[in-house]
Amino acid sequence: MNKNRKSFICGIKGKKLNKKEISFLKKHKPWGIILFSRNIHSLYQTQILTNNIRKIFKDKHYPILIDEEGGSVSRLNKFIDNSNFSAQYFGNLYMSNRKKFYIYLNIYIKQISYLLNVLGININTVPNLDLRRKFSHKIVGDRSFSTNKKTVSKIGDLFIKLFHKNGICCVIKHIPGHGLAKIDSHKSLPVVNQSINYLLQNDFSTFKNKNSIFAMTGHVLYKKIDKKNCGTHSKSVIDVIRKKILYKNLIISDDLSMKSLKFSLSKNTTMAFTAGCNLVLHCNGNLKEMVKVAENSPYINQFIMKKTSEFKDIIS
């Protein structure tokens, strides 16, 4: 990993790199790139896109991410119909037919991993370890495995193990837990009022002992931990992640362009790093916004380099 890269992940606008994006990538050197449906038209086109990204960085294992959860969140629907295979589907199957669950999960992850590897993608931002409630906002919905914390944790372990086995790294999310949110953090800031002891025993517990190189924060205000700042911007929340949940690897912010974050993009970026995020994420492909994120992102440090090396050991 080149130490001249910066500690941010960004999207791109279309199905191929334009001249301004190429110039941006060469100048600002993001740690990774995340792809969405807007970037994917065909197998060949996507392969050209990921190859061209890697040529810029001269790195065959350069981090390229996607959010392929199945169910309501699928970026690969031009190739496969993944709509039935939500996290909730696997949670229900785990409870109803354990043998069938293991067979289906193995086949599912093997096939998704194969497709991602063919496309040149090496990180999938799964599993979602949020603990679902009856009142949880639909943005959690079928993206959560279960209302049972032990089920969420167990299936999360299996997802990570099987994706790793098939050469794809995972990003557990939304650490330390998004299931109590009653509103969509893409649009406004959810507020959680439960005590830290309750959270540690329930929502936060699903993230413990997870063998994932990456974890993504949630833009959620946990008022009993930090009255002012959401998890992404809170040193107190990041301290809980490090000292109570005992997560030791790389923490990535959720998308900095989400409306739950109330400051300027520059301040949202610097606050995430000050709180303790190792990498920040910006998704919409808006080049002017990407420049602001890049200019406020530090160069990667030794810790990020070490963990990136561990990531490359898994995918190679």
Side-chain angles (χ1 to χ4, degrees):
M1 166 62 73
N2 190 323
K3 64 182 179 180
N4 291 324
R5 291 181 194 167
K6 284 194 151 188
S7 302
F8 74 98
I9 301 162
C10 62
I12 58 173
K13 206 66 178 176
K15 296 176 178 62
K16 62 181 181 179
L17 295 172
N18 61 45
K19 289 182 179 180
K20 289 184 178 180
E21 287 172 334
I22 292 169
S23 177
F24 172 86
L25 296 180
K26 288 181 176 179
K27 179 179 179 180
H28 293 289
K29 299 179 175 63
W31 178 88
I33 300 290
I34 186 166
L35 301 183
F36 291 89
S37 298
R38 68 176 184 265
N39 308 121
I40 296 170
H41 175 69
S42 69
L43 285 172
Y44 182 62
Q45 166 268 324
T46 310
Q47 287 172 331
I48 291 174
L49 175 59
T50 55
N51 284 334
N52 286 339
I53 291 170
R54 291 199 163 95
K55 284 178 183 177
I56 290 172
F57 297 99
K58 299 176 182 177
D59 182 355
K60 66 179 181 179
H61 297 310
Y62 182 78
I64 299 180
L65 300 79
I66 199 167
D67 187 10
E68 181 54 43
E69 298 179 20
S72 59
V73 180
S74 177
R75 318 297 184 187
L76 301 178
N77 50 23
K78 289 185 173 65
F79 312 125
I80 54 172
D81 181 1
N82 206 12
S83 56
N84 290 329
F85 299 106
S86 65
Q88 184 176 3
Y89 168 85
F90 283 111
N92 291 340
L93 190 60
Y94 179 81
M95 298 305 295
S96 64
N97 189 328
R98 201 64 55 86
K99 183 178 179 180
K100 187 176 179 181
F101 163 82
Y102 283 109
I103 293 170
Y104 277 35
L105 186 67
N106 270 281
I107 294 171
Y108 170 78
I109 292 181
K110 186 175 182 179
Q111 294 304 314
I112 294 296
S113 299
Y114 174 79
L115 182 52
L116 293 179
N117 279 310
V118 166
L119 292 169
I121 297 164
N122 48 29
I123 302 175
N124 193 9
T125 61
V126 295
N128 189 317
L129 301 180
D130 297 327
L131 185 61
R132 188 172 67 250
R133 305 302 203 293
K134 289 182 179 179
F135 57 77
S136 294
H137 190 274
K138 63 182 180 180
I139 198 67
V140 176
D142 72 349
R143 300 172 68 195
S144 168
F145 292 119
S146 178
T147 58
N148 183 294
K149 61 187 179 183
K150 291 183 179 179
T151 299
V152 172
S153 181
K154 176 64 176 177
I155 300 177
D157 287 334
L158 290 168
F159 259 67
I160 295 164
K161 179 181 178 181
L162 289 170
F163 270 114
H164 283 187
K165 182 180 177 182
N166 287 281
I168 299 293
C169 263
C170 291
V171 183
I172 57 175
K173 61 186 185 185
H174 301 85
I175 200 167
H178 207 298
L180 285 165
K182 296 180 181 180
I183 57 177
D184 182 356
S185 58
H186 290 84
K187 299 177 180 178
S188 55
L189 181 64
V191 177
V192 168
N193 289 300
Q194 277 76 359
S195 71
I196 187 169
N197 286 335
Y198 175 87
L199 292 167
L200 287 169
Q201 292 172 20
N202 293 280
D203 295 71
F204 295 4
S205 70
T206 60
F207 291 89
K208 290 198 76 172
N209 303 314
K210 291 294 168 281
N211 185 29
S212 176
I213 302 294
F214 309 105
M216 182 182 292
T217 63
H219 300 330
V220 178
L221 182 68
Y222 308 95
K223 291 203 76 172
K224 296 297 192 296
I225 302 175
D226 189 326
K227 293 180 180 179
K228 294 183 178 180
N229 300 304
C230 74
T232 303
H233 284 165
S234 172
K235 187 177 187 304
S236 298
V237 172
I238 301 296
D239 280 349
V240 168
I241 293 170
R242 294 302 194 191
K243 297 174 182 178
K244 299 293 185 181
I245 298 175
L246 303 177
Y247 182 72
K248 302 298 184 184
N249 295 322
L250 292 177
I251 297 176
I252 306 171
S253 79
D254 204 347
D255 183 5
L256 294 179
S257 64
M258 288 164 63
K259 294 179 181 178
S260 49
L261 301 185
K262 57 186 176 181
F263 303 108
S264 69
L265 194 54
S266 296
K267 189 171 182 180
N268 285 336
T269 303
T270 57
M271 285 182 70
F273 286 117
T274 301
C277 291
N278 305 111
L279 300 165
V280 297
L281 176 68
H282 181 270
C283 293
N284 65 24
N286 182 310
L287 197 61
K288 290 183 179 179
E289 292 186 7
M290 288 157 58
V291 170
K292 292 179 181 178
V293 173
E295 290 177 345
N296 288 278
S297 296
Y299 289 100
I300 62 172
N301 55 30
Q302 288 296 322
F303 178 66
I304 298 173
M305 290 179 69
K306 179 177 182 293
K307 293 301 174 181
T308 304
S309 179
E310 294 176 16
F311 144 71
K312 291 187 177 184
D313 286 343
I314 291 170
I315 65 166
S316 58

